[in-house]
Amino acid sequence: MSPAAPGDAWRDGLVQLGPDWVLGADGVPVRSAARVLLLDEKDRLLLVRGHDVDQPDRHWWFTVGGGIDSGESPRQAAVRELAEETGLQVEAEALVGPVLRRTALFDFARRTVRQHEEFFLARLEAPEAIVQHGWTEIERQFMDEARWWELDELLGEAEQVFPVGLARIVSGLIGGWDGRLLELPEQA
């Protein structure tokens, strides 16, 4: 992430979030993002574990993905984010969907933010080891690990999992996508 340019202070600290964040009409920073529901040959789902910098004991699990860069399509962003966050590679044409869309309101970098997300489904047979070399400075501050989850195991996980109901959503996609985009209500 490049350093803030003179005069960027008006952005209310958004420079620290990244150039893809803008102030929404309600004063809440907002961006669009692409996420990947990645399954392996055993129908395990890849998730990332994060923590709250201000509350280090608060952890949650979420899907791989992130902000869409200028000039990038959601599909391109999903492929890029997967490679950056895990080292795993998929072709854009291998992504199915988007299969799911949601808007999430959550705390990030000491502020409440809103993210419009599109989720793509992908599968990797015998994936390589997950690596973290592509994590940005911000990601290194709150991301802890990435791992594969059995969906039954995920249903019983005590820590929060986002989006809510993810294991059930993915279970419905295992046999193939029916072509209907699932729209979740805004989640906080």
Side-chain angles (χ1 to χ4, degrees):
M1 190 171 303
S2 59
D8 277 340
W10 68 269
R11 293 188 67 201
D12 187 31
L14 294 182
V15 171
Q16 296 160 352
L17 289 174
D20 49 341
W21 292 94
V22 297
L23 278 180
D26 59 358
V28 174
V30 64
R31 76 172 179 179
S32 293
R35 309 203 74 76
V36 182
L37 304 172
L38 185 65
L39 297 169
D40 70 1
E41 75 281 359
K42 299 175 185 172
D43 292 335
R44 296 180 304 169
L45 178 66
L46 181 64
L47 293 178
V48 177
R49 185 176 190 240
H51 69 276
D52 189 319
V53 176
D54 294 326
Q55 300 174 41
D57 293 335
R58 180 178 171 245
H59 292 88
W60 62 90
W61 291 93
F62 60 100
T63 58
V64 172
I68 300 171
D69 289 344
S70 177
E72 204 174 37
S73 73
R75 187 174 296 273
Q76 291 167 326
V79 168
R80 176 185 50 77
E81 286 285 340
L82 179 64
E84 288 176 0
E85 293 181 0
T86 68
L88 300 174
Q89 305 281 326
V90 298
E91 297 295 324
E93 304 79 38
L95 296 177
V96 176
V99 298
L100 172 67
R101 187 176 292 145
R102 79 166 184 157
T103 295
L105 192 65
F106 57 96
D107 293 331
F108 182 65
R110 297 188 176 112
R111 62 180 52 85
T112 299
V113 298
R114 179 174 287 115
Q115 185 163 265
H116 304 294
E117 302 173 332
E118 289 190 23
F119 292 76
F120 294 88
L121 180 64
R123 185 177 290 275
L124 279 177
E125 300 295 324
E128 301 289 325
I130 297 166
V131 296
Q132 302 167 354
H133 61 71
W135 287 9
T136 65
E137 183 181 332
I138 290 176
E139 288 168 339
R140 290 182 192 286
Q141 291 175 21
F142 77 91
M143 289 170 54
D144 303 316
E145 65 177 300
R147 68 165 272 220
W148 296 97
W149 283 85
E150 299 281 345
L151 294 180
D152 289 344
E153 178 187 17
L154 190 58
L155 282 169
E157 174 56 30
E159 291 181 338
Q160 292 177 299
V161 178
F162 295 105
V164 173
L166 181 61
R168 286 185 293 281
I169 291 167
V170 173
S171 291
L173 296 169
I174 295 285
W177 182 48
D178 63 8
R180 291 184 297 161
L181 176 64
L182 177 60
E183 300 253 6
L184 297 181
E186 183 167 283
Q187 296 179 351

